[in-house]
Amino acid sequence: FTRKDYIDRELILFKISIDEKNKPKVVSILEKNNAKILHEGSKRLTAEYAGDGEHILKLLEHLKPFKLNDVVRTGKIAMALE
């Protein structure tokens, strides 16, 4: 297969520490990257993001200034386009 012959995705689930000060920035980053907030507690958000590996790395880079508590990642799944 070449890159044009298939589509691939990975899923990442993560928890990120929040407080009143950083929550708006964290939520903004998640929204801009089309990540979905699954649960919002008083001290942490749990979110998911599905995309290719490159986009996942970019999202994690944007979230680097904040404390990621847990991160789980599926690994790549792919499907032929034709």
Side-chain angles (χ1 to χ4, degrees):
F1 287 109
T2 67
R3 183 80 171 143
K4 296 177 187 176
D5 295 332
Y6 68 92
I7 187 166
D8 64 87
R9 292 288 181 265
E10 292 183 55
L11 174 68
I12 184 172
L13 299 171
F14 55 93
K15 292 180 186 175
I16 188 164
S17 294
I18 56 167
D19 56 34
E20 290 181 22
K21 185 177 176 183
N22 72 7
K23 181 182 172 185
K25 180 67 174 167
V26 169
V27 170
S28 175
I29 291 168
L30 296 176
E31 288 175 349
K32 286 178 185 176
N33 287 277
N34 296 315
K36 182 178 177 183
I37 296 172
L38 302 173
H39 180 265
E40 186 176 325
S42 60
K43 296 180 182 179
R44 286 188 203 101
L45 288 176
T46 302
E48 72 177 7
Y49 176 75
D52 63 31
E54 187 175 314
H55 286 109
I56 287 175
L57 292 175
K58 286 180 185 177
L59 174 60
L60 292 175
E61 189 65 31
H62 289 298
L63 294 172
K64 229 178 197 178
F66 309 100
K67 184 178 180 188
L68 286 169
N69 302 107
D70 294 306
V71 178
V72 292
R73 195 168 169 174
T74 61
K76 188 182 293 189
I77 58 170
M79 179 181 284
L81 291 174
E82 297 292 325

